[in-house]
Amino acid sequence: MHLPNPKDDKFIIKDYLNLVNLQTIKNKYKTSYERIKRICLKQGLWNQEYRTTYKRKHCKDHLKDIQHNPFEDLGNPEVQYWLGMLASDGNVSHNSISLGLSKKDNEHLLKYQYFLKTNLKVRIYMDKRYEDSGMSKLTFSCVNTTEFLHNIGITSNKSLTLKMNIPITWNFLRGVIDGDGCISTYSIGNKKMCSISIGTASLSFFTQLKDFLNTHSLRFDVHIRHRENQNPFYSIRVSNFNSCSFLIEKLEYKNSIALERKKAK
């Protein structure tokens, strides 16, 4: 007789939350439906109606659509750009890859849809982070793509651990700025000035960005904001006129794919 192993409980919960089929969980841990239910109920996680609805609406509707890895050609400028967007504003979790932006940037996700060569729908969600505008999101599932993204550094915990295992390029940096950066313009007399800022909670990625900018002799300021019970938040700001002009030129906002409202600045 096989006796239940209490150490399996956390793995059973993880598989349940990842929408693994219950029969698969039963076989994997040599357990019963009743035990799975009891473990999940104890944690307040048992919700079969949600699992069924989620699978029907998402897994069948749009998560099975892309069978290839659209990011494989690392020499392609568009691939580099969208990897920068995913590194900043994407979410990679449980073989699912999502890119979410404010609803006002919905048109940009249509460009992403075109890049993916897919008929996946860009979906609109209400999200308190975006006030009244809501959020646009495009999601697909592909095991090979998820593994590829993990290998190059874009993981499910990337906000804290992001470290790129591929070279940072100007196209990649433009994607990062479009996702998590800020471009500000202002005037001093008749002289138009600008500043470009990038923020991250990953010390490794912060270091990589600094190294990249230093390689090109750009002048920038850094700021570290310490937060209670959280990782520090690291910011880089380029505001020197010559450095900012050089950066804008290298990022090629005018002639490349970019977020329109940032390109307009």
Side-chain angles (χ1 to χ4, degrees):
M1 179 179 178
H2 177 79
L3 296 176
N5 185 351
K7 291 182 179 180
D8 287 342
D9 290 8
K10 64 180 180 181
F11 299 108
I12 290 173
I13 289 172
K14 181 180 179 180
D15 282 353
Y16 180 83
L17 293 176
N18 287 344
L19 305 179
V20 176
N21 182 275
L22 289 179
Q23 186 61 48
T24 302
I25 298 176
K26 285 170 61 179
N27 295 339
K28 184 177 179 180
Y29 300 102
K30 296 182 174 59
T31 189
S32 65
Y33 175 88
E34 289 73 21
R35 179 169 174 248
I36 298 170
K37 182 176 181 179
R38 184 171 64 252
I39 291 169
C40 294
L41 279 172
K42 187 176 180 180
Q43 299 296 325
L45 300 173
W46 184 259
N47 190 336
Q48 281 299 92
E49 182 179 352
Y50 167 78
R51 279 168 55 93
T52 302
T53 303
Y54 187 95
K55 284 183 176 181
R56 185 186 305 122
K57 291 179 66 176
H58 294 269
C59 297
K60 292 183 180 179
D61 188 16
H62 65 288
L63 290 184
K64 290 166 48 177
D65 185 81
I66 295 181
Q67 303 299 322
H68 66 287
N69 176 8
F71 307 106
E72 198 166 19
D73 182 5
L74 292 173
N76 185 322
E78 277 199 62
V79 168
Q80 296 169 11
Y81 172 80
W82 290 115
L83 285 175
M85 285 290 292
L86 285 176
S88 54
D89 255 356
N91 181 275
V92 181
S93 179
H94 313 315
N95 295 328
S96 172
I97 300 105
S98 298
L99 181 60
L101 302 172
S102 170
K103 182 182 174 183
K104 63 186 176 185
D105 297 321
N106 186 68
E107 181 132 347
H108 200 58
L109 281 183
L110 296 179
K111 296 177 184 177
Y112 181 53
Q113 179 191 53
Y114 181 79
F115 162 77
L116 293 175
K117 297 180 175 62
T118 179
N119 58 1
L120 292 173
K121 293 181 180 179
V122 175
R123 299 175 181 276
I124 308 295
Y125 302 86
M126 293 311 298
D127 191 311
K128 61 183 179 182
R129 293 175 298 172
Y130 298 95
E131 300 178 347
D132 296 329
S133 67
M135 178 184 189
S136 295
K137 182 185 288 188
L138 196 157
T139 304
F140 70 94
S141 179
C142 178
V143 174
N144 290 337
T145 303
T146 303
E147 291 177 353
F148 174 83
L149 293 174
H150 283 178
N151 288 335
I152 66 171
I154 304 175
T155 66
S156 57
N157 196 33
K158 67 177 179 58
S159 60
L160 302 178
T161 64
L162 182 64
K163 181 180 180 181
M164 298 308 300
N165 299 319
I166 58 173
I168 291 177
T169 66
W170 295 113
N171 294 301
F172 177 86
L173 186 61
R174 187 174 68 254
V176 171
I177 293 171
D178 278 357
D180 267 347
C182 176
I183 300 177
S184 302
T185 57
Y186 55 97
S187 298
I188 298 180
N190 295 325
K191 194 173 186 179
K192 187 175 181 180
M193 308 289 287
C194 80
S195 68
I196 299 175
S197 303
I198 309 170
T200 178
S202 167
L203 176 58
S204 296
F205 189 54
F206 172 65
T207 302
Q208 288 183 307
L209 290 173
K210 287 196 302 176
D211 290 345
F212 179 79
L213 297 178
N214 279 325
T215 298
H216 297 280
S217 303
L218 293 173
R219 293 175 59 183
F220 56 89
D221 302 312
V222 300
H223 176 70
I224 302 175
R225 178 161 55 91
H226 295 279
R227 304 178 293 176
E228 189 175 354
N229 300 322
Q230 297 183 68
N231 276 30
F233 190 78
Y234 307 94
S235 300
I236 294 175
R237 182 171 179 262
V238 179
S239 57
N240 173 269
F241 179 79
N242 290 332
S243 291
C244 206
S245 298
F246 178 83
L247 185 55
I248 289 292
E249 179 184 347
K250 286 296 184 180
L251 291 172
E252 296 187 320
Y253 262 94
K254 289 185 178 180
N255 303 314
S256 306
I257 184 169
L259 203 59
E260 288 300 324
R261 58 186 174 83
K262 292 189 178 178
K263 181 185 289 193
K265 294 183 177 182

